[in-house]
Amino acid sequence: MAAMTTGNPSRADANRRRILDVALAELLRDPDASMDQIARAAGVVRRTVYGHFPSREALISTLTDEAVQALADADAAVRTGVTDPAEALARSVLALWATADRYRLLIALAQRTVTVQGIRERLAPLRAAKVRVLQQGLDEGVFTSPLPAPALAYVHEQTVFAVMEAVNDGLLTAQEAGRSAAVTILTAAGVPASTATALVAEVSSDT
């Protein structure tokens, strides 16, 4: 391992980045892709892959971390400057879906290797941001729910996971999934269905 980290750091970083990019593509194509397959696709020897990632699980865990960071970045970007909690929630769900759609097969795979609990822990900062939006909406009467904001955030999170599984199982197209998820989550927060549908359509036309 020590030999792998000496030499040109930029080359090592470039190798690591290439392995991650190729691994994501390979795992989305074939969830059972082995480290050997990933190494061949990346144009490196197996030892190089293991030099950066000691196991397939470690590789998937790193990809999951990157997916969660991408989700957090997308969420923060679209909520900046938005004061209405319903609009903020709609924009957040649509942005999260646009990002999550790329990773949905990876997330399904990660649930077998990283564990659902591990994914929940990674999502904690994103969930905290969602709790703040939900609490604002509950305080202002925009949202109504028998659940407190932290519990409602879990319901929303699981709704997104459920929509991902529905797409993976062919029950819903990826194209309609984002809007459907946004309307479902808004209505779960107590927004009337007609209002939620109109808001999501309006927000979608802006993006």
Side-chain angles (χ1 to χ4, degrees), residues 114-128:
V114 178
T115 76
V116 173
Q117 183 59 34
I119 293 174
R120 281 181 177 172
E121 290 171 359
R122 286 167 166 80
L123 289 171
L126 183 59
R127 190 181 310 117

Side-chain angles (χ1 to χ4, degrees), residues 56-58 60-62 64-65 68 106-124 127 157-158 161 165:
R56 186 172 180 273
E57 290 72 22
I60 292 173
S61 180
T62 300
T64 304
D65 287 340
V68 170
L106 169 67
I107 292 171
L109 176 62
Q111 289 177 334
R112 301 191 335 229
T113 56
V114 178
T115 76
V116 173
Q117 183 59 34
I119 293 174
R120 281 181 177 172
E121 290 171 359
R122 286 167 166 80
L123 289 171
R127 190 181 310 117
E157 189 175 292
Q158 292 306 308
F161 283 138
E165 291 179 6

